[in-house]
Amino acid sequence: MVMKVNEDLSILFWLWRQKASKDGMAPIYVRITIKGDRDGFSSGKKIHPDFWDEEMATANRTCPDSKFINSYITKTKAELERHYNQLAATHDKITAAMIKEAYMPKEVSKKTLMQAFKLHNDEFAELVKKKKKSKGTLVRYERLKEKTEQFLKTKHNTSDITLDEIQVGLAANLYHYLLINDIGENTAMKYVKTLKQIVKRAVTEGWIKQNVLTGFKCTYVDPDRETLEQHEILEMYNKELPVKRLAEVRDVYVFCCFTGYAYETVYNLEPENIFKGLDGKLWITKDRQKTGVEETVPLLPIALEIIGKYKNHPYCLAENKLLPVNSNFRYNAYLKELAVICGISKDLTTHTARHTFATTVTLENDVPIETVGKMLGHKDLRSTQKYAKITKRKISNNMKSLEGKLFNANGELQAAS
């Protein structure tokens, strides 16, 4: 029997006998009709035809599942009518398909964490191709993706999870996993910070409503940043070295000590990056790929001397490079060899030269921190302040200046001017 809800809408529950299974059970279907327009769907319920009341379109009382089936029919009819009324309030024309979709909307496939990684990393890769972001940073993002997959396999026996499965504990658990797998505290925390950034990107894409990982606060341990003293830089620069490759690495390293450039920046420097400033002297400039901020530095005499030394170097001429810079791996390996030859016990890395410029070369010699930050390509002073440790030389310089203001040549306290 067709259930006439109103003059436009009718709902029919009917038995599709031709689709009966071997045990004789036939599926119950639902048909929606609006002014001759029809659509329908399977109820997911089955009944033996002997128990089906064709006239009433319900299960008869002798059916073992009559209460269950008839309850479904009553509720479904009410739900379909409710959706019809809601649509009628906002639409001039309603189709049977609209009611069907409102009642049983198509299931939207849930996005996963690995899909969020792909979205984020693919977009970043496009910026790398345009030379607007660092390739090294992209490698770090891809490495985090791999480590997260390994973590999920270890912790949850799966390589991926849906975004709506993520809980704030994921951040803490990943951090712990990285630590016990020999990742340093700050590096592990940076990985977690990046994970929060990736989930945030999924939120802006509309894949998930909120980023629950914001509840995890990232904290960092202030590292003891090694720097070279001025006498160590000079001794290294004047050292006679047995092989050409070490001399080249030494010169690149010292150049970074007097410009503050990170490895990737100095690797990409070209002769065109040098220009004459308003003061008539030579400067060097390069956008820092990590931040997109320009690093512009006046060239000090030693830096100019090193540039001149490699002006006609075969590699520099062939590749249009300012200096002969090795791969990151070889550069760091040769620096360790160089440290041994020069009798330096400190761990020379691509970063210590940048730290040396910030501390020994500039801040210790009273260059304002704002100026140092600008030359280092920092977006704000917070990034520069991590270099501004108070050294003994800085204290000595400041006290000498103070002594000159307070006392005369005989050590007598002077009257205030």
Side-chain angles (χ1 to χ4, degrees):
M1 180 181 71
V2 177
M3 299 180 185
K4 191 78 172 178
V5 178
N6 57 45
E7 61 180 14
D8 294 330
L9 172 67
S10 62
I11 301 169
L12 171 66
F13 292 85
W14 60 284
L15 201 62
W16 197 337
R17 298 173 186 271
Q18 289 78 5
K19 281 197 171 185
S21 54
K22 290 181 179 180
D23 60 1
M25 303 291 281
I28 301 172
Y29 271 72
V30 185
R31 180 186 298 160
I32 307 166
T33 305
I34 301 179
K35 295 181 179 179
D37 176 60
R38 291 181 176 181
D39 205 335
F41 56 91
S42 171
S43 69
K45 309 292 184 292
K46 289 185 176 183
I47 188 172
H48 195 281
D50 292 344
F51 297 125
W52 182 251
D53 188 326
E54 197 75 42
E55 184 178 351
M56 299 301 295
T58 58
N60 60 42
R61 293 181 181 179
T62 58
C63 176
D65 297 323
S66 62
K67 288 184 178 180
F68 171 70
I69 292 174
N70 291 338
S71 174
Y72 166 80
I73 291 173
T74 301
K75 289 179 180 178
T76 301
K77 176 182 175 297
E79 280 293 297
L80 292 172
E81 185 177 0
R82 182 176 66 83
H83 286 298
Y84 171 82
N85 292 332
Q86 288 178 341
L87 291 168
T90 55
H91 295 76
D92 293 331
K93 182 180 179 181
I94 308 170
T95 64
M98 290 168 65
I99 298 176
K100 173 185 171 182
E101 187 173 342
Y103 173 71
M104 47 186 303
K106 296 177 181 178
E107 185 177 346
V108 179
S109 59
K110 295 179 179 179
K111 297 293 184 178
T112 70
L113 180 57
M114 290 306 131
Q115 287 177 314
F117 263 106
K118 188 176 187 306
L119 171 69
H120 176 275
N121 292 3
D122 285 354
E123 289 180 341
F124 197 89
E126 291 174 354
L127 295 174
V128 171
K129 286 182 180 179
K130 296 289 185 180
K131 296 185 177 181
K132 293 184 177 181
K133 292 294 181 180
S134 164
K135 185 177 180 180
T137 304
L138 177 60
V139 170
R140 184 166 62 84
Y141 289 157
E142 291 293 345
R143 190 179 298 128
L144 172 59
K145 179 177 179 290
E146 293 172 4
K147 291 184 182 298
T148 304
E149 285 180 316
Q150 293 166 1
F151 159 73
L152 290 173
K153 287 178 182 177
T154 303
K155 184 78 174 177
H156 302 288
N157 197 31
T158 180
S159 60
D160 199 3
I161 57 174
T162 59
L163 290 169
D164 59 5
E165 289 181 286
I166 294 176
Q167 297 180 0
V168 67
L170 176 71
N173 291 334
L174 176 62
Y175 177 67
H176 175 75
Y177 171 82
L178 294 172
L179 289 181
I180 63 175
N181 282 278
D182 301 322
I183 304 294
E185 291 181 55
N186 283 354
T187 301
M189 196 59 75
K190 286 179 181 178
Y191 275 135
V192 174
K193 183 179 180 181
T194 301
L195 179 65
K196 292 171 66 175
Q197 175 183 325
I198 286 165
V199 176
K200 181 180 178 181
R201 177 65 187 89
V203 173
T204 60
E205 191 68 13
W207 290 359
I208 191 173
K209 291 184 178 179
Q210 62 179 344
N211 183 2
V212 296
L213 296 186
T214 55
F216 181 86
K217 185 178 180 181
C218 292
T219 58
Y220 300 92
V221 178
D222 189 20
D224 184 15
R225 303 176 186 278
E226 286 193 306
T227 59
L228 296 186
E229 297 289 338
Q230 187 170 316
H231 70 89
E232 292 175 311
I233 303 173
L234 291 174
E235 288 170 9
M236 178 190 293
Y237 188 57
N238 294 322
K239 181 78 173 179
E240 289 291 332
L241 295 171
V243 289
K244 180 182 176 183
R245 63 177 174 81
L246 290 178
E248 290 177 354
V249 167
R250 182 268 315 276
D251 289 343
V252 171
Y253 184 84
V254 172
F255 177 85
C256 291
C257 286
F258 285 93
T259 59
Y261 283 148
Y263 168 81
E264 187 145 8
T265 303
V266 75
Y267 178 83
N268 290 302
L269 286 177
E270 300 174 351
E272 291 76 15
N273 294 122
I274 298 176
F275 68 99
K276 184 173 287 188
L278 294 174
D279 55 4
K281 296 184 178 181
L282 292 179
W283 291 52
I284 190 166
T285 185
K286 191 78 172 74
D287 283 347
R288 192 175 181 214
Q289 287 187 313
K290 182 177 180 180
T291 61
V293 178
E294 183 181 71
E295 290 180 278
T296 302
V297 184
L299 287 166
L300 295 169
I302 288 182
L304 283 169
E305 186 177 311
I306 292 171
I307 290 171
K309 187 186 294 188
Y310 295 100
K311 187 175 182 180
N312 296 313
H313 190 283
Y315 168 81
C316 295
L317 292 174
E319 301 295 329
N320 192 37
K321 297 290 187 179
L322 192 67
L323 297 173
V325 185
N326 294 105
S327 68
N328 201 343
F329 176 79
R330 287 186 178 181
Y331 183 65
N332 277 316
Y334 294 165
L335 282 177
K336 295 184 186 304
E337 192 176 343
L338 180 67
V340 173
I341 294 174
C342 294
I344 296 174
S345 59
K346 297 171 182 176
D347 184 22
L348 298 188
T349 67
T350 56
H351 300 295
T352 55
R354 185 169 170 83
H355 300 161
T356 296
F357 172 78
T359 304
T360 306
V361 175
T362 56
L363 292 173
E364 281 191 357
N365 291 295
D366 296 324
V367 176
I369 192 170
E370 294 83 0
T371 302
V372 176
K374 183 67 176 176
M375 289 190 290
L376 290 173
H378 290 159
K379 286 185 176 181
D380 54 61
L381 279 182
R382 287 181 299 174
S383 300
T384 314
Q385 285 166 346
K386 64 186 180 183
Y387 295 106
K389 63 179 182 181
I390 303 300
T391 64
K392 291 179 181 178
R393 183 179 297 277
K394 176 67 174 172
I395 294 172
S396 175
N397 290 344
N398 289 344
M399 292 307 289
K400 282 180 181 178
S401 176
L402 177 63
E403 183 178 339
K405 293 175 182 178
L406 295 178
F407 299 89
N408 62 24
N410 297 321
E412 297 170 336
L413 186 64
Q414 302 178 118
S417 56

